[in-house]
Amino acid sequence: MKKVISGNEAASIAVKLSRVQVISAYPITPQTTISEKLSEICGSGELDARFVKVESEHSAMATLIGASSTGSRTFTATSAQGLALMHEILFWASGARLPIVMVDVNRAMAAPWTIWCDQTDSLAQRDTGWLQFYCWSNQEIIDTIIAAYKISEQLLLPSMICYDGFFNSHTHEVADIPDQELVDSFLPARQAEYKLDTKDPHTFSGGTLPSMFMEFRYKVQKAFERAPELIESVYSEFDQKFGRRYNPVESYFVDDAERVLITSGSSASTAYHTVRMMRDEGEKVGLIRMRQLRPFPEAELFRAIPKGALVGVLDRNLSPGTGGVWTQEIRAALGRNNINLSLHEFVAGLGGRDISENNIREMFAGMKAADGKRQSINWIGLNR
Amino acid sequence: MNKQFDNNSVGDDGRDYEFCASHDFYGHSACPGCGEKILFRHMLDVLGPETVMVVPAGCAAVTDGVFPHSLSPVPYLHVPFGATASAAAGVRAGLDMTGRKDVTVVAWAGDGATFDIGMGALSAIAERNENILYVCYDNEAYMNTGMQRSSATPRGCWTTTTPKSRLKEEPKKDIDAIMIAHRIPYLATGSPAYLDDFKAKVEKARDTDGFKFLHLISPCPPGWRSDPSDSIKLARLAVESRVFPLYEVRNGVDYKITMQPEQCSVSEYTSCQGRFAYLKSEDSERLQAETDQAWAELERKEK
Ligand SMILES: Cc1ncc(C[n+]2csc(CCOP(=O)(O)OP(=O)(O)O)c2C)c(N)n1
Ligand code: SF4
Ligand SMILES: [Mg+2]
């Protein structure tokens, strides 16, 4: 059924369709309306789930550690300060191999206070052992959440679904809401092999010595290495059932492109619009959209980059002291694969500053043939 | 590894009163004379196998065993230091949603996890009246990290962060009063020197719906600088001196003192512990006066 909904409604709908059993969340802009909607549908019985109304995000994630350990399907949503407050427990979730699914509505990290969008909050959690997906539309939010449960429960790794605060969370769009029956056939109830069970008592996450801890981490890494193949098969099945095909990396107008921009989230929507206009004007420009940070989809990315093209990366985030996180990630992947490619690094849109069509044009204009010099950050839209 | 227990000690009422004895309750690494293990074992004897433990960082976590060994005969979920209460609420929700409402969920946490880092989350689950049995084994300091002060450490006490040059100046935080103020269905204190009293309270707590809080005095020979063979004696003197009175409170209003042994002086309790070695006589007098006042208050509330 097609409906006009906001990004946050899309997330709530997906949680309901996924038949989540335990929800725990704490209000923070721009995530709050997810918690409100879920409270409503849990309260009315529309969704048969327990909503644990905690006093902090640290507790929201801790609650899900307990709930997921019983074998139940769990969900939370947060933004920025809330995600940072969970930091300790994020490591715990992946180390304990719990398939928790969470939405992070991207918001910049204070100080100074801001409620507006950038992606620094979730990107700063890249080392916590969570799968990370980035969406650009409300349809994609619904579909990615449903798919994430299937992926997480097979890999025994948690998933974070990220989308831009306000630009996605509060923007209304048409989305096709899948039938419950179809979702049930795609995503059956969770079957936990390891869980708290008084009939088969075990101890979970107890002390380890240096002689064993590394093996636990090795297994987490191995699960991430298995992920690409599994994600591909889940997306194929999703496509067969729902008629919508997803990939970890999406590309647009890249085939003959001489200049391409790599970005993610709502910035990719603006870039897409701009690229189409520039194509009409005869410019050979293209766009690559990153839908996944972890596992880092390097094979898919390299396949998408046209040979000989100039490449820029638009980072709506900043890791002070180095630069944009996506740029660093892509540079690391290039180095790992001995590919000599110079990246133009564009930092824009921090703390919700608009990224306009002109800004995107400025980025394409700034992509020049490599001159062998050190690349530094290009600040776009900065008032100097 | 946990073993399936052999159910050979079932009482007339169908309950397994020697659950731990029927299980190989060995292999922990607690110090000799540790109160925590004594309390844990006797609590489980009452609760039996339909129990799930939620345990934060602290001695109870570390001494249960190193992977893949575990002492616990029931599922034992380790959680981060400040996460006990919330994780227990999650276990409760998950068990309820998967058809296991009858399982008792026990949060088993030290004084640091309870009085300090986990206080906000503890208050939250009490306010929400979660159907959880929260037990604090109180050894009055951060023992696992080597005896640093907590807000449960008594005034005048030595710890590694309240050294001889600056003993703890503040009185012990009144956790019972805080929990009672939440009007929880059941709160009780317990001591390993009064096992019948303790076990009766565990049973009452288990059979009460909603949130239950047990506050247990838990002797710790290395931290208290006491002789391991004195642990039970100290747990008794704590009660006799009225430093740690045994009582219970229902719904935040119904007080009942459950044990009234003949009174001994506070210094009789403190003098055999090295952690109180630097108390001056005026400090002892002050402790005695505070203890007497608290007891009078408790008696007044009981009436
Ligand atoms: C967030 C965090 N901070 C600090 C620690 C270190 N730490 C582990 S146990 C502990 C003290 C435990 O004290 P208590 O709860 O009283 O338990 P006990 O060891 O006395 O049994 C501390 C400070 C930790 N594990 N996590
Ligand atoms: S340090 Fe104290 S609390 Fe910890 S195991 Fe030893 S006796 Fe028990
Ligand atoms: Mg302690």
Side-chain angles (χ1 to χ4, degrees):
Chain A
M1 185 190 39
K2 291 209 165 148
K3 247 181 118 172
V4 177
I5 52 170
S6 71
N8 281 352
E9 279 176 74
S12 325
I13 288 167
V15 169
K16 179 177 156 237
L17 289 170
S18 302
R19 296 194 189 275
V20 169
Q21 293 163 298
V22 179
I23 298 166
S24 185
Y26 190 79
I28 183 167
T29 306
Q31 169 279 128
T32 307
T33 52
I34 304 178
S35 301
E36 290 174 344
K37 184 78 195 168
L38 290 174
S39 302
E40 199 180 300
I41 62 176
C42 290
S44 69
E46 210 182 311
L47 174 65
D48 183 20
R50 179 77 60 87
F51 195 134
V52 184
K53 312 229 167 120
V54 288
E55 83 301 342
S56 76
E57 290 87 351
H58 188 276
S59 282
M61 190 46 65
T63 298
L64 298 193
I65 296 292
S68 189
S69 299
T70 67
S72 61
R73 189 170 284 162
T74 62
F75 178 81
T76 188
T78 192
S79 295
Q81 312 300 122
L83 186 64
L85 196 56
M86 289 178 182
H87 185 63
E88 177 196 25
I89 323 287
L90 296 183
F91 283 99
W92 199 281
S94 65
R97 307 300 298 270
L98 298 171
I100 296 165
V101 171
M102 156 161 70
V103 159
D104 179 59
V105 183
N106 286 112
R107 161 175 158 177
M109 291 298 308
W113 277 122
T114 170
I115 56 167
W116 308 101
C117 170
D118 74 41
Q119 296 179 339
T120 307
D121 58 345
S122 57
L123 293 171
Q125 305 298 343
R126 63 182 163 172
D127 302 331
T128 55
W130 285 60
L131 298 148
Q132 278 200 10
F133 303 95
Y134 287 80
C135 303
W136 78 341
S137 73
N138 296 349
Q139 185 70 60
E140 205 172 77
I141 292 169
I142 299 179
D143 296 349
T144 310
I145 290 172
I146 295 169
Y149 278 106
K150 187 143 180 153
I151 295 163
S152 278
E153 287 172 12
Q154 288 178 64
L155 290 173
L156 296 183
L157 288 174
S159 284
M160 197 183 298
I161 287 85
C162 310
Y163 54 85
D164 287 349
F166 298 110
F167 298 117
N168 294 118
S169 63
H170 289 63
T171 300
H172 285 70
E173 289 178 342
V174 177
D176 192 352
I177 298 164
D179 284 342
Q180 182 69 60
E181 266 174 49
L182 204 55
V183 176
D184 289 344
S185 72
F186 173 78
L187 181 69
R190 180 178 166 203
Q191 298 292 335
E193 194 180 342
Y194 309 102
K195 60 173 188 240
L196 293 168
D197 182 359
T198 54
K199 305 290 180 279
D200 181 21
H202 286 279
T203 292
F204 295 88
S205 302
T208 52
L209 298 175
S211 58
M212 50 193 89
F213 183 85
M214 263 180 89
E215 284 67 24
F216 282 98
R217 280 297 172 273
Y218 176 76
K219 288 186 169 185
V220 170
Q221 173 64 21
K222 284 287 142 190
F224 271 96
E225 289 171 14
R226 276 201 311 282
E229 203 177 316
L230 175 76
I231 291 171
E232 163 55 32
S233 78
V234 169
Y235 284 164
S236 296
E237 191 191 336
F238 192 94
D239 186 16
Q240 280 162 21
K241 285 232 151 74
F242 302 95
R244 287 185 293 276
R245 169 75 217 190
Y246 291 99
N247 296 295
V249 174
E250 304 281 0
S251 51
Y252 313 89
F253 307 103
V254 291
D255 289 345
D256 62 341
E258 289 164 0
R259 286 171 291 163
V260 292
L261 187 65
I262 305 176
T263 191
S264 60
S266 63
S267 321
S269 309
T270 312
Y272 179 72
H273 162 80
T274 310
V275 163
R276 274 179 37 178
M277 306 234 303
M278 290 175 75
R279 278 277 166 180
D280 287 347
E281 296 158 14
E283 305 248 24
K284 291 196 169 166
V285 291
L287 170 69
I288 295 176
R289 180 166 72 96
M290 303 299 292
R291 288 198 63 247
Q292 208 174 283
L293 178 78
R294 288 286 182 273
F296 190 77
E298 58 177 42
E300 294 87 341
L301 173 63
F302 297 152
R303 242 181 277 133
I305 298 177
K307 257 210 151 46
L310 299 174
V311 182
V313 182
L314 160 50
D315 267 300
R316 183 175 229 147
N317 67 82
L318 184 71
S319 171
T322 173
V325 172
W326 288 102
T327 304
Q328 310 311 320
E329 288 281 332
I330 296 167
R331 285 204 176 119
L334 290 167
R336 205 157 44 229
N337 291 275
N338 298 311
I339 300 170
N340 188 6
L341 179 68
S342 178
L343 296 181
H344 295 80
E345 178 175 9
F346 302 105
V347 168
L350 300 187
R353 179 156 308 177
D354 203 20
I355 297 178
S356 66
E357 181 196 316
N358 278 343
N359 292 151
I360 304 284
R361 285 175 182 273
E362 198 183 328
M363 292 176 210
F364 279 114
M367 292 183 208
K368 304 251 164 58
D371 53 7
K373 288 211 193 102
R374 182 180 180 279
Q375 292 284 339
S376 52
I377 301 173
N378 300 286
W379 292 81
I380 304 295
L382 183 71
N383 301 316
R384 290 184 210 248
Chain B
M1 260 335 158
N2 286 314
K3 280 192 186 171
Q4 288 288 10
F5 59 95
D6 170 19
N7 206 348
N8 61 3
S9 52
V10 178
D12 294 340
D13 55 0
R15 287 199 187 124
D16 182 5
Y17 280 100
E18 288 179 50
F19 174 52
C20 291
S22 67
H23 171 84
D24 293 331
F25 200 78
Y26 64 72
H28 69 72
S29 53
C31 317
C34 175
E36 184 268 329
K37 283 288 170 282
I38 301 169
L39 291 160
F40 177 50
R41 185 217 139 106
H42 287 285
M43 176 185 72
L44 275 193
D45 271 345
V46 177
L47 296 179
E50 291 302 308
T51 305
V52 171
M53 301 293 301
V54 179
V55 185
C59 279
V62 170
T63 58
D64 178 69
V66 167
F67 179 85
H69 301 286
S70 172
L71 166 79
S72 177
V74 296
Y76 204 82
L77 184 70
H78 290 266
V79 298
F81 193 26
T84 326
S86 312
V91 170
R92 178 76 277 159
L95 291 174
D96 289 355
M97 287 306 299
T98 51
R100 293 175 281 171
K101 284 199 157 84
D102 295 338
V103 172
T104 304
V105 175
V106 178
W108 181 255
D111 48 291
T114 305
F115 290 57
D116 293 343
I117 199 166
M119 186 78 227
L122 169 60
S123 171
I125 65 166
E127 183 267 338
R128 299 200 304 268
N129 197 24
E130 296 274 359
N131 187 19
I132 287 165
L133 171 52
Y134 190 109
V135 190
C136 174
Y137 66 92
D138 181 3
N139 50 28
E140 304 193 313
Y142 301 161
M143 294 312 179
N144 183 51
T145 40
M147 302 141 212
Q148 296 82 30
R149 64 94 85 182
S150 76
S151 59
T153 304
R155 204 204 295 272
C157 186
W158 168 92
T159 68
T160 57
T161 51
T162 49
K164 201 177 153 190
S165 55
R166 189 130 202 189
L167 299 171
K168 187 163 186 268
E169 289 164 15
E170 310 78 15
K172 183 182 175 92
K173 187 190 276 184
D174 191 350
I175 189 82
D176 299 351
I178 293 171
M179 299 318 295
I180 290 163
H182 287 75
R183 312 241 159 181
I184 56 176
Y186 188 70
L187 171 139
T189 59
S191 158
Y194 297 87
L195 282 178
D196 289 345
D197 175 79
F198 168 53
K199 288 177 148 186
K201 286 167 174 170
V202 173
E203 194 161 346
K204 282 186 215 171
R206 179 197 56 198
D207 297 340
T208 302
D209 266 345
F211 189 69
K212 290 82 62 169
F213 185 82
L214 295 185
H215 180 198
L216 312 176
I217 186 80
S218 184
C220 165
W224 291 13
R225 296 289 193 257
S226 60
D227 194 287
S229 63
D230 276 350
S231 286
I232 298 301
K233 178 177 134 189
L234 287 173
R236 186 179 324 107
L237 289 175
V239 177
E240 286 176 356
S241 64
R242 299 175 174 173
V243 165
F244 200 89
L246 294 181
Y247 66 108
E248 60 187 14
V249 185
R250 284 203 180 270
N251 304 315
V253 286
D254 266 336
Y255 283 70
K256 187 173 169 226
I257 298 170
T258 59
M259 203 49 77
Q260 296 222 35
E262 206 172 313
Q263 188 180 5
C264 74
S265 69
V266 172
S267 59
E268 208 171 317
Y269 168 62
T270 54
S271 62
C272 42
Q273 303 175 56
R275 62 175 175 151
F276 292 115
Y278 310 109
L279 280 183
K280 294 193 205 72
S281 68
E282 64 261 32
D283 300 329
S284 288
E285 277 161 31
R286 187 173 175 189
L287 271 183
Q288 183 68 58
E290 284 169 355
T291 305
D292 290 343
Q293 198 189 339
W295 176 266
E297 187 96 327
L298 184 61
E299 281 191 318
R300 189 183 55 74
K301 285 181 180 152
E302 194 189 23
K303 278 175 200 140

